[in-house]
């Protein structure tokens, strides 16, 4: 798939898990920044409203073609740091909604 491509991850993070969650998100985003095809990323924290997800991360890529390579690089970085995201989610009670998006043509 060519053209801009976005990974949007939404998280329901308990207040007690906030700091550990953010440390690991920022570590992961440093890996993303170093990848070919990376354009930008944003980490958002909910400040108002009834939504169930209080954190959203958005990563923008040049195309969907880079996703598998990036996924492998992130997995390798997590292994090197002895970090297992699924273990952290289960231990801290974090729920995630993870998906990929493309812009809607006008």
């Amino acid at each position: 798939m060519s053209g801009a491509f976005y990974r949007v991850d939404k998280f329901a993070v308990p207040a007690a898990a906030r700091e550990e969650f953010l440390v690991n998100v920022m570590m992961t985003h440093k890996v993303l920044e170093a990848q070919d095809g990376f354009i930008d990323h944003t980490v958002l924290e909910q400040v108002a409203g009834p939504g169930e997800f209080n954190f959203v991360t958005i990563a923008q890529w040049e195309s969907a073609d880079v996703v598998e390579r990036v996924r492998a690089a992130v997995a390798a970085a997590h292994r090197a740091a002895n970090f297992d995201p699924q273990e952290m989610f289960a231990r801290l009670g974090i729920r995630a909604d993870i998906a990929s998006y493309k812009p809607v043509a006008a």
Side-chain angles (χ1 to χ4, degrees):
M1 183 183 319
S2 63
F5 187 77
Y6 297 82
R7 167 79 178 251
V8 179
D9 300 346
K10 298 174 278 190
F11 302 94
V13 180
R18 181 183 184 277
E19 293 308 315
E20 183 175 345
F21 170 77
L22 285 175
V23 164
N24 287 294
V25 165
M26 297 310 178
M27 173 196 58
T28 299
H29 279 233
K30 288 291 183 197
V31 175
L32 299 180
E33 291 172 354
Q35 303 305 305
D36 289 337
F38 171 82
I39 295 175
D40 194 20
H41 67 84
T42 303
V43 179
L44 303 170
E45 183 173 13
Q46 182 181 11
V47 295
E52 74 176 289
F53 297 105
N54 54 337
F55 285 92
V56 176
T57 64
I58 303 168
Q60 182 180 1
W61 301 95
E62 289 177 356
S63 72
D65 300 335
V66 302
V67 172
E68 285 307 314
R69 181 180 43 74
V70 170
R71 187 173 291 135
V74 168
H78 286 172
R79 281 191 304 277
N82 198 28
F83 172 59
D84 179 349
Q86 297 310 314
E87 180 280 328
M88 181 186 74
F89 293 170
R91 178 172 46 83
L92 298 176
I94 296 171
R95 290 182 303 105
D97 177 28
I98 296 171
S100 298
Y101 296 82
K102 64 178 183 154
V104 175

